[in-house]
Each structure stands twice: as structure tokens, then as C-alpha cells.
Amino acid sequence: MFFSIIVAFNNPYALMSNFLENLVPQIKSFKCELILFADGCQDSNTLAYISNTARHFPQIRLICSAEQCGYSIANNLAVKESSGDILVFMNSDVLPMPGSIEHLVEVVSRMPVPCAAQGRLIYPQNMRIQ
């Protein structure tokens, strides 16, 4: 099953590099695309980092909006560019645990269509569920 991970962001380099360094190793063997929607992001270091990373991982697509349109609109625009059977929306301030995306996609693929699911968000400081 092919799926699309959609991330709308307007973040500095430190946050995006940490996010991608955690996410890319987990998804590089999946049948998926990672759509990164730069929602008015003007940080040239962030955009250069993502562009460079995308050269090494062809499943990454960077879409840039010159003006900030907001989280909902950014996600909707990214959906129009996606080609996955399942859409996985993520925020760039979460670090998925190994296997969690694969498990979520597997669960959703067995559900009746349409459906929605959300992974558990756990605070790393105290391991409590958010």
C-alpha cells in the first residue's frame, strides 16, 4: 500500500533537521512519499537542507508557498499534490518511534473507508500520554 506523509511547516533549521534525521531512516524502505510543504518558510538554511536531503531520498518532495497560508490550507494544498492511498499528517515537532508509522498505516489499511486514526503522543520527559 502506497501512502503519503504530509508535513506543513514554517520552522527553523534546527527543528526540521532534527525531525528529518529521525524520520527519514524510518521511512526510506517504505512505499511512500514525504511531502514537505514550506508554508511561507523563509529560512534559507532549512530549505537548502531539505533540498539536499531530497536529492538523496527521491521519495521526499518539497513544495514551497511564498506566503504563509496557515496549517489547514497548507495541508489541503499538499493533499492535492499527494498520490498515496493513505494520508499520514505529521507535525515537525514530533519524533515517531521506530515502527509506529508502519503500524499506523497497517491498522488504517484494514479499516473501512473512509477512516481516520491518530498515533499516541507521548511526552519524552516523563513518558506520559499527551
Side-chain angles (χ1 to χ4, degrees):
M1 172 118 349
F2 187 76
F3 63 96
S4 301
I5 299 173
I6 296 173
V7 181
F9 72 93
N10 183 2
N11 301 112
Y13 169 79
L15 185 61
M16 285 306 293
S17 62
N18 189 42
F19 172 73
L20 287 177
E21 287 170 16
N22 177 272
L23 182 64
V24 169
Q26 293 186 50
I27 66 166
K28 65 183 177 182
S29 63
F30 294 165
K31 292 182 180 178
C32 72
E33 64 184 349
L34 173 58
I35 299 175
L36 300 171
F37 190 95
D39 187 20
C41 181
Q42 301 298 318
D43 186 330
S44 60
N45 290 331
T46 299
L47 298 175
Y49 173 77
I50 293 170
S51 294
N52 186 49
T53 303
R55 277 187 231 125
H56 298 92
F57 298 98
Q59 67 200 119
I60 296 176
R61 290 178 41 207
L62 175 61
I63 301 170
C64 296
S65 173
E67 293 184 24
Q68 191 168 15
C69 52
Y71 185 74
S72 296
I73 292 172
N75 279 312
N76 287 332
L77 292 170
V79 166
K80 288 180 181 179
E81 298 294 323
S82 70
S83 55
D85 302 308
I86 294 174
L87 303 175
V88 177
F89 295 92
M90 294 184 73
N91 291 338
S92 57
D93 63 346
V94 297
L95 301 176
M97 296 177 71
S100 62
I101 297 169
E102 184 176 29
H103 178 70
L104 187 64
V105 169
E106 182 182 311
V107 168
V108 169
S109 69
R110 289 184 270 133
M111 302 283 230
V113 176
C115 74
Q118 178 179 334
R120 234 182 277 175
L121 298 175
I122 301 173
Y123 289 111
Q125 301 88 345
N126 57 17
M127 300 308 286
R128 290 183 173 225
I129 296 173
Q130 189 174 15

